[in-house]
Amino acid sequence: DVELPELATLRLVGIDELSRPCPDVKLIGYLRGAGSGSFNATTDAVGNAVVRYLTPGPWRIEADDPNDGQTGRTDLALTANDPDARFEIQIR
């Protein structure tokens, strides 16, 4: 038998200071704890992005909106047993 590690899914929504969705935002994430992991993603037309198969633990997410020249950053903790977790990242 092969035992696979538990993995997490990250659901992000990029919003501006007025809580409006931000489309086409470039997202870069990296694991800050033990182990290694990273991802690159882009928000869709309504500001959503989903990244699957991530190692649970502390992550830093950086956002760059090329349309408005604004950026954002957040730190969060992913767990494998919360499949519906959704996080917001504010772009300023």
Side-chain angles (χ1 to χ4, degrees), residues 12-25 43-49 63 65 67-68 70-71 86-92:
L12 282 167
V13 59
I15 58 172
D16 66 11
E17 65 275 357
L18 300 175
S19 296
R20 296 177 298 199
C22 297
D24 303 320
V25 172
T43 59
D44 62 14
V46 292
N48 294 316
D65 186 346
N67 298 321
D68 294 333
Q70 299 185 66
T71 62
R86 181 177 166 202
F87 299 93
E88 294 180 348
I89 184 166
Q90 192 167 45
I91 316 299
R92 301 178 195 209

Side-chain angles (χ1 to χ4, degrees), residues 16 18 27 30 40 48-50 55-56 59 61 70 72-74 90:
D16 66 11
L18 300 175
L27 302 170
Y30 56 92
N40 289 302
N48 294 316
V50 177
T55 303
W59 283 80
I61 315 298
Q70 299 185 66
R73 180 174 68 190
T74 191
Q90 192 167 45

Side-chain angles (χ1 to χ4, degrees), residues 25-86:
V25 172
K26 310 267 187 240
L27 302 170
I28 298 172
Y30 56 92
L31 185 62
R32 298 185 70 197
S36 63
S38 64
F39 68 85
N40 289 302
T42 303
T43 59
D44 62 14
V46 292
N48 294 316
V50 177
V51 184
R52 292 179 172 80
Y53 313 118
L54 297 175
T55 303
W59 283 80
R60 170 158 289 167
I61 315 298
E62 297 178 353
D64 180 28
D65 186 346
N67 298 321
D68 294 333
Q70 299 185 66
T71 62
R73 180 174 68 190
T74 191
D75 293 321
L76 49 91
L78 287 180
T79 61
N81 52 1
D82 191 3
D84 295 323
R86 181 177 166 202

